[in-house]
Amino acid sequence: LLALAGFAPSFDSLRFLAVGAAGLLLGVIIAHVANVLRSPWFVLVLLTIVAFFLFGGVLTLTRETLFGIPTPHSLKALLDVTVAGWKELLTTLPPVPGDGQLLVLPYLLGLLAGVLAFALARRVRRPFPPVMVMALLLATVISLGTLQPASSLLGLAVAIIGALWAAVRHRRLLQVVGTGTSRRSQGMLTAGLIAVAVAGGYTLGGHLPGVDTGRRQVLRTYVEPPFDVTQFPSPLVGFRKYTRDVKLLWDQRLFTVAGAKAGQRVRIAVLDDYSGTVWGASPPSTGDHSGFRRVGRTVGSVPQADGEHATVEITIAPAYAGLADASLWVPGVGYAEELTFAGPRAAELAEAVRYDTTTGQAVLSRRLQAGDGVRSVDVTLREVPKDFEPSGDLTLSADAVAFVAASAARLGEKRPQAWEQVQAVASALRARGAYSDGTKSGERHYLPGHSVSRIGAFLKSDQPVGNDEQYASAFALMATSLGVPSRVVLGGITAEDGSVSGSGVRAWVEVHGANGGWYTVPETTFMPDRTK
């Protein structure tokens, strides 16, 4: 039970421990029955398999059973989780739901540990094999666990109890031949050895290989998330369809936000990677980027934002559901602490959601439909303050922003500080530029997109002309070139009734501050008025 308790940071409730204890007790009973009947090992294996499927449904998958009786659906679910649940646990942001299918895993581990340890304790005279089973269980739980341990004392407690158990068992064996050694002296010797081991571990543990990495090594560190958002088109490319002159989605409602005030910024897609062709989300293998991983209802702490808490419910409208480039992206007002879904597809969407803790963005492996609801408790992002100080690793490489370096240096006016240069760039774009969707009658036709060629031509012009797509892209690229970590956000601004229509869609920029938080730079900071 101490070893199974290492799963505490992985689940959002302690039900996993009760399920694991039930599996452990069941395993002991099975091993005892097999021992009494003097059954061979292969019979013990068969009994364990039968017990796993017979009781697994009622203990872990209550919704799939029929009044506690196994059904074909529950048996298939048990088999599926046994095979694929390990990877799902490792690719899900902890804590996972404490009432979900992944409860099968602690149940299975408890069952196997109970069967194997008790069978060895009764069938093998040596005292150490049963203890090694528990050590293996602890190592398995640690490997499947999180970067943050449940308690640094769990391993010590398991070691002490295992050593005491082995000492008592060894004493019984020695009494058969008669050693003449008293129980008191043996107990004192055992206690002394444990004390020496604890003191040695405490003294030498910090000097062992791997300690200087500063990061706990668990399996989830090496398991790549199965969801790659880069295979889908960037929603920023289709910005023009929201504009007035194109007349596709300008007057159509995309979604409604309950719990948000008028003028609230709702992030549709956070784009932190630039390929030279489009802004998109970073692939999961980029540096320390967390990637899009499975997530339960509780997302966890939010170190990247220090704004206000907001509880909102977003209802998807048909116009948003019909967007091939956006309907996979889950709108939100900030970094989620809790994320659930409403509507008839709530359970289906909960299984399909993936969340990136680096950007605070959620996506789905299947598209949102009209009537779907998204409920979240978010920490909103504040607008960049007057005393803002940038800091942090750049999200883009120097090669990616090299083509804007000359323009950034020229517009930055060689100010002494990086943020002062970025502010000068924003002022220059706003003052010199003009706004156009590129299709208005009587104007030149300006191309959409934000590739190297489009942004390069945009910045080389005496009067830069474009819409939110070009201005946000150019500003974020030049800010990065000047040393300020930046990313582009496609989002919407709520109306009085809480709705977001095509007319409210904007593209703005977020920058990273010295306190570890991300801040919003409104599009009005670096873009001219739309009437210019």
Side-chain angles (χ1 to χ4, degrees), residues 473-493:
S473 298
F475 179 68
L477 290 169
M478 287 191 288
T480 302
S481 175
L482 293 171
V484 178
S486 307
R487 61 196 187 194
V488 175
V489 178
L490 176 70
I493 299 177

Side-chain angles (χ1 to χ4, degrees), residues 329-384:
W329 300 76
V330 181
V333 298
Y335 281 83
E337 291 184 335
E338 297 180 13
L339 181 63
T340 56
F341 295 89
R345 302 173 68 232
E348 179 183 348
L349 295 177
E351 288 291 325
V353 70
R354 305 291 187 273
Y355 188 82
D356 183 358
T357 56
T358 305
T359 60
Q361 179 66 55
V363 297
L364 293 164
S365 58
R366 52 179 61 90
R367 299 185 183 279
L368 288 165
Q369 297 180 6
D372 288 339
V374 182
R375 296 173 178 170
S376 62
V377 178
D378 296 337
V379 179
T380 60
L381 276 70
R382 295 194 291 119
E383 288 192 9
V384 59

Side-chain angles (χ1 to χ4, degrees), residues 431-500:
R432 301 179 187 180
Y435 190 92
S436 174
D437 294 325
T439 58
K440 188 174 182 179
S441 176
E443 293 182 353
R444 286 181 55 189
H445 285 201
Y446 296 95
L447 294 175
H450 51 276
S451 63
V452 169
S453 60
R454 177 67 177 94
I455 298 301
F458 172 83
L459 292 175
K460 290 177 182 178
S461 174
D462 293 336
Q463 184 185 52
V465 181
N467 57 26
D468 298 47
E469 178 186 0
Q470 288 79 44
Y471 279 99
S473 298
F475 179 68
L477 290 169
M478 287 191 288
T480 302
S481 175
L482 293 171
V484 178
S486 307
R487 61 196 187 194
V488 175
V489 178
L490 176 70
I493 299 177
T494 58
E496 292 290 340
D497 61 354
S499 65
V500 174

Side-chain angles (χ1 to χ4, degrees), residues 119-340:
L120 288 173
R122 289 299 187 183
R123 298 185 182 209
V124 178
R125 290 179 58 83
R126 295 183 177 274
F128 296 105
V131 177
M132 295 306 297
V133 173
M134 295 306 161
L136 179 61
L137 175 62
L138 177 63
T140 302
V141 171
I142 292 175
S143 300
L144 295 171
T146 63
L147 294 175
Q148 184 65 31
S151 173
S152 58
L153 299 179
L154 283 181
L156 180 63
V158 172
I160 290 175
I161 294 176
L164 291 174
W165 189 90
V168 172
R169 181 67 176 266
H170 184 65
R171 172 68 184 179
R172 292 176 181 172
L173 294 178
L174 292 178
Q175 285 179 337
V176 175
V177 297
T179 63
T181 307
S182 67
R183 291 178 181 269
R184 181 178 180 182
S185 60
Q186 284 243 327
M188 293 177 62
L189 177 61
T190 301
L193 289 174
I194 292 175
V196 171
V198 172
Y202 182 82
T203 304
L204 302 177
H207 303 285
L208 293 176
V211 174
D212 57 347
T213 62
R215 189 177 185 183
R216 194 182 194 212
Q217 298 299 308
V218 293
L219 289 178
R220 69 175 62 243
T221 308
Y222 306 99
V223 176
E224 183 175 336
F227 188 81
D228 185 7
V229 74
T230 59
Q231 63 184 305
F232 301 102
S234 169
L236 184 63
V237 174
F239 182 85
R240 185 168 285 189
K241 61 177 172 287
Y242 303 106
T243 58
R244 181 194 297 271
D245 296 330
V246 177
K247 298 179 181 178
L248 288 177
L249 295 170
W250 173 264
D251 58 352
Q252 293 192 41
R253 177 176 296 184
L254 303 177
F255 47 81
T256 302
V257 185
K261 55 187 178 182
Q264 174 71 58
R265 291 183 180 271
V266 183
R267 307 193 307 171
I268 294 175
V270 182
L271 311 173
D272 61 343
D273 183 65
Y274 185 70
S275 65
T277 304
V278 296
W279 277 92
S282 292
S285 58
T286 303
D288 292 331
H289 193 272
S290 67
F292 288 92
R293 298 178 179 268
R294 290 178 179 270
V295 64
R297 67 174 70 91
T298 303
V299 178
S301 59
V302 186
Q304 296 90 350
D306 61 353
E308 299 178 350
H309 282 74
T311 302
V312 298
E313 181 172 348
I314 298 175
T315 304
I316 303 300
Y320 189 83
L323 297 174
D325 59 351
S327 55
L328 290 171
W329 300 76
V330 181
V333 298
Y335 281 83
E337 291 184 335
E338 297 180 13
L339 181 63
T340 56

